[in-house]
Amino acid sequence: MKFEKLPVNPRIVAANREVERAANKAIRAFDAVKSKLGLRGRAAAYDDEAYEFVGGPNDAMRRKHYDKSLRLLWKAEQAAPWSTFNDATDGEKVLIGMAERGMSDAEKAARARISSAEFRALLDREYTLAEKKAIVAILSAIGHGEAYAWMVSASTLTEVKSTGAKAAVTMQVMEEAKHFVVLRELIQAFNVEVPRQSAWEYLLLEGALKARGLDKFFGMNVIVETVALNIFGMFSDKPGLEVLRLFHLDESRHTALPDNYFKEFPMTAWERGNPRARLARLKMVLPLLPLVFFLEADLSELGVDPFSFAGAVLRKTTVLSERSGFKLPMPGTQLMSVFNAAFNAYCSATREGHVWQNYMNAETTHGVAEAAIEREIFGSPALHAA
Ligand SMILES: [Fe+2]
Ligand SMILES: [Fe+2]
């Protein structure tokens, strides 16, 4: 026997229960009427009778995003040993020690837990000052983006239905928090001034945060995360930036989230294609154009053609938005043609001997593993280009 029962008055217990039953019925009925009238009824989309969020269990979404994210969860202490993070468990530290014991001296040296000062020295050795400034200019654009991804995903949490989708978005919130704080330390290790958001990043990210309802998925998971995928894919095979592979892996999962969600809870035809939503989405995409012009010098410093970069981003966002059902004022192929014409016109005016090209066929992701992941998500460039 674990508990020693105390005496109670059964009549009083029964009366208290009766009062609760009546109050519960009245409160629920009152809130239900308020909800029907469009006033603030029950705030939580939670079904306590079914012990489930409204929308049901949605185990498919939980397995694809929550379970998978936990399986692929990485710790900064292991992946970025030069950082200040102390997030590995005792078990993970034992495993690192065991793996190091089985290594040759050369392997150990390569895997050595380099300090922050040594990491900064490595960056100084590998990159010129101009290259460091260009890397920081590009990485910080997505660094500010991670702050917004954190806020947008947290606000999406209350918008999605079902237990599985809420579990999936919760992992995104956690991963974006990690991306923001870890990327911040990586960028600061370059020891050059970190620029504030450009006007175009500001408009792009504020647009995603202010988007109505699940159009936040369009602004963040389709546009901003595809820009992030391209930036991480461009840098992940460069010295000192290997940790960005793990960012790339997480972002690829985040770009798949809207499509997986809408498979369970499809948008209505009105949500997909009403004129106001189409225009709002175009407004979210447009800052990408001046952003490319703005980053031209920095991308060129690193040997990346800015319009090839932008073409790759646009092709991938078109694939994702069409797959998820987010319609724009014009079909994706037409929009790509317009952007392509704008890029070619700009290049004809600013570059000597410019030859017209289809930038929408370009690919700027360098890492072999990253390119394979992207092929799985987006297919091959030629299939989708205008
Ligand atoms: Fe992120
Ligand atoms: Fe993300």
Side-chain angles (χ1 to χ4, degrees), residues 182-348:
V182 175
L183 189 56
R184 196 160 156 268
E185 281 205 6
L186 175 63
I187 287 171
Q188 285 169 341
F190 277 81
N191 218 7
V192 296
E193 199 188 331
V194 181
R196 67 188 294 188
Q197 286 176 291
S198 68
W200 320 122
E201 290 155 45
Y202 183 95
L203 289 175
L204 182 67
L205 295 167
E206 280 287 316
L209 188 58
K210 286 177 186 157
R212 295 159 78 93
L214 285 181
D215 263 34
K216 286 188 189 69
F217 271 159
F218 177 76
M220 183 48 65
N221 298 58
V222 171
I223 304 178
V224 177
E225 309 238 35
T226 305
V227 175
L229 258 194
N230 275 263
I231 290 179
F232 296 141
M234 186 171 88
F235 282 140
S236 60
D237 61 347
K238 304 294 180 288
L241 301 179
E242 296 84 355
V243 66
L244 297 182
R245 294 218 151 103
L246 299 169
F247 284 69
H248 185 275
L249 206 56
D250 292 345
E251 304 302 7
S252 68
R253 212 156 47 249
H254 301 164
T255 58
L257 213 146
D259 184 39
N260 284 331
Y261 180 74
F262 292 133
K263 271 185 199 141
E264 303 288 333
F265 301 98
M267 280 188 278
T268 61
W270 174 255
E271 284 167 335
R272 272 199 298 270
N274 73 76
R276 182 184 175 159
R278 285 177 193 245
L279 261 180
R281 288 169 200 149
L282 182 65
K283 218 175 117 196
M284 280 193 259
V285 180
L286 283 180
L288 275 182
L289 191 66
L291 180 62
V292 183
F293 299 145
F294 177 73
L295 289 176
E296 182 179 8
D298 297 310
L299 285 162
S300 303
E301 180 70 38
L302 304 172
V304 177
D305 181 83
F307 302 103
S308 299
F309 175 81
V313 168
L314 282 165
R315 181 183 70 250
K316 292 168 197 175
T317 51
T318 304
V319 172
L320 288 184
S321 49
E322 287 187 345
R323 195 179 288 156
S324 308
F326 288 116
K327 291 198 172 143
L328 290 155
M330 56 184 87
T333 45
Q334 241 178 36
L335 187 71
M336 283 199 282
S337 302
V338 170
F339 271 91
N340 201 42
F343 293 165
N344 276 289
Y346 177 89
C347 292
S348 301

Side-chain angles (χ1 to χ4, degrees), residues 92-167:
E92 284 162 342
K93 282 178 189 155
V94 169
L95 283 176
I96 298 170
M98 276 163 55
E100 279 173 353
R101 272 202 292 284
M103 286 177 185
S104 67
D105 283 350
E107 282 170 328
K108 255 188 226 166
R111 172 77 190 87
R113 325 209 96 239
I114 58 173
S115 68
S116 170
E118 286 166 322
F119 183 66
R120 283 163 191 248
L122 177 145
L123 296 177
D124 283 338
R125 223 173 27 246
E126 294 289 344
Y127 304 107
T128 64
L129 181 61
E131 285 169 344
K132 287 205 311 182
K133 283 184 176 167
I135 293 172
V136 165
I138 295 163
L139 271 187
S140 67
I142 218 58
H144 297 306
E146 297 291 0
Y148 275 76
W150 189 353
M151 293 184 276
V152 174
S153 55
S155 66
T156 312
L157 187 56
T158 53
E159 305 267 357
V160 291
K161 284 186 213 147
S162 81
T163 303
K166 284 187 192 290

